[in-house]
Amino acid sequence: MKILIVGHFSESAQSKITGHFPQDWNVVIVPPGEEMLQHIADCQVLIPEHIQVDHSLLANAKQLKLVQTGAGYDNVDISACTQLGIWVANASGVNAQAVAEHVMALILSYYKNIPFLDRFMKNRLDENQLEYTGSELEDKTIGIIGLGAIGKKVAAFCSALGMNVQAYARNTAVSSDGVVRMTDFDTLISTSDIISVHVSLNEQTKQLINKAVLANMKNSALFINTARGGIVNQPDLIEALKNGELSGACLDVYESEPLPLDSELRNLSNVILTPHTAGMPDARKFHRKRYDFFIDNIKRVANGEVPESKLNQLL
């Protein structure tokens, strides 16, 4: 069994990952490029961390049986895989706890001014001159866009803090559980004090948050995105933050990653940034739960079974 993992990993991260797989499996970790193309010809499983899986790439993957992604799968052409008889599966829900905790950390850091206060103390400034504004979370309304595994955990955490929780989901089968009040998209946008995005990136959600949507948010609102950068029109968000049309933002994902060093986001005092680490509970490049899920799914496909959390259906 040959598993090809394509992405940018340090030597220590590669050692952790390969050591986690069964010893009799051939696990190869390479960055995108020519070496990747050499290995893809005879691999049975592809775990694409930092590449697009499209027709041109799949044309070289003659033995491929499974494309296994993390929670996100916007980098995989599912139709092309289906045509070639290749399963596609993601690891939906395995990072829900980690991402939800990260969202809460961002919310608390923002409203309790943790980054500012940390800099204040480390700069040894006179505490008698300290002036800042803060806010309690009780009775604030959070609007959650997308009520999957992560959205539900965020809802539960916020409810425990005495917040009002409302959500919008495209799947009309999603219903209120007594904690969450379901509402329409426009109402959520215009009435929420905090708006947190928890949907996958697809044609329907690409640049879902744009100039018009941002204009309908409260000027005092906090916007949070730990899902995918492409869901937001980043220049529109920056403009809203600079013009006071939005109180602030907490971002873990960006249109271009890693975030360019000259990005205006790095200079905005009303923004908290993290480097796409919300879903990593154990370390920057290793997620034990995710790799456990990968291994179980690979075994299922190897045994002729249907993978868990499949994204396509083969005949």
Side-chain angles (χ1 to χ4, degrees):
M1 176 70 70
K2 181 174 182 178
I3 292 89
L4 176 62
I5 303 175
V6 182
H8 302 285
F9 298 90
S10 66
E11 289 186 11
S12 62
Q14 289 185 41
S15 178
K16 285 182 180 179
I17 293 169
T18 55
H20 198 68
F21 283 85
Q23 291 186 352
D24 58 340
W25 290 9
N26 180 17
V27 179
V28 178
I29 303 177
V30 296
E34 291 298 321
E35 188 178 0
M36 170 195 73
L37 295 176
Q38 295 173 14
H39 286 288
I40 202 166
D42 63 347
C43 71
Q44 286 79 49
V45 179
L46 173 63
I47 301 175
E49 298 284 356
H50 301 114
I51 56 166
Q52 291 292 322
V53 180
D54 52 22
H55 271 287
S56 60
L57 184 69
L58 293 169
N60 299 310
K62 301 301 183 183
Q63 299 183 35
L64 191 60
K65 297 179 179 179
L66 170 67
V67 176
Q68 175 68 66
T69 74
Y73 50 89
D74 48 288
N75 61 326
V76 179
D77 186 333
I78 297 175
S79 296
C81 290
T82 304
Q83 291 172 15
L84 294 169
I86 301 167
W87 285 112
V88 183
N90 73 337
S92 177
V94 297
N95 65 348
Q97 182 74 19
V99 176
E101 288 181 2
H102 197 90
V103 170
M104 299 313 297
L106 291 172
I107 291 174
L108 288 165
S109 293
Y110 180 84
Y111 282 107
K112 301 305 177 184
N113 285 279
I114 301 301
F116 166 77
L117 294 174
D118 178 67
R119 290 193 301 270
F120 181 91
M121 296 299 291
K122 289 177 178 176
N123 288 333
R124 297 176 174 82
L125 300 176
D126 183 359
E127 293 180 39
N128 293 318
Q129 303 300 315
L130 176 61
E131 291 186 12
Y132 77 104
T133 57
S135 180
E136 294 182 342
L137 297 179
E138 188 175 25
D139 291 330
K140 287 191 182 300
T141 297
I142 183 168
I144 300 172
I145 301 175
L147 202 60
I150 297 171
K152 288 177 181 176
K153 283 188 175 289
V154 171
F157 289 158
C158 290
S159 178
L161 290 173
M163 300 174 67
N164 304 310
V165 183
Q166 58 182 4
Y168 164 76
R170 291 178 61 87
N171 181 3
T172 56
V174 174
S175 60
S176 174
D177 57 3
V179 171
V180 183
R181 182 177 68 85
M182 303 305 297
T183 188
D184 62 88
F185 182 78
D186 291 339
T187 299
L188 181 144
I189 290 297
S190 62
T191 62
S192 297
D193 300 304
I194 304 168
I195 296 169
S196 190
V197 177
H198 300 289
V199 293
S200 58
L201 176 61
N202 52 47
E203 287 302 316
Q204 289 72 43
T205 62
K206 187 175 182 180
Q207 297 204 349
L208 174 69
I209 307 300
N210 53 36
K211 187 179 182 68
V213 172
L214 291 163
N216 284 330
M217 294 182 187
K218 293 181 178 180
N219 289 348
S220 58
L222 170 66
F223 175 74
I224 302 172
N225 187 15
T226 55
R228 283 291 185 268
I231 296 169
V232 180
N233 183 306
Q234 197 162 288
D236 287 353
L237 176 61
I238 292 172
E239 182 181 355
L241 289 163
K242 289 169 64 177
N243 295 340
E245 298 169 13
L246 199 61
S247 176
C250 297
L251 307 172
D252 185 58
V253 289
Y254 313 94
E255 280 186 342
S256 176
E257 295 184 10
L259 182 67
L261 295 178
D262 61 354
S263 171
E264 285 189 86
L265 287 171
R266 295 181 183 270
N267 299 319
L268 297 179
S269 60
N270 56 344
V271 176
I272 296 177
L273 307 175
T274 55
H276 203 154
T277 52
M280 296 290 174
D282 302 309
R284 175 70 174 92
K285 290 292 186 181
F286 185 70
H287 185 333
R288 187 176 301 276
K289 287 182 181 179
R290 183 170 67 171
Y291 286 105
D292 284 343
F293 183 94
F294 288 177
I295 291 168
D296 288 342
N297 241 11
I298 292 169
K299 289 179 178 177
R300 290 178 66 88
V301 172
N303 292 331
E305 301 173 22
V306 175
E308 293 286 344
S309 194
K310 62 183 175 66
L311 300 172
N312 61 346
Q313 180 62 55
L314 303 183
L315 298 176

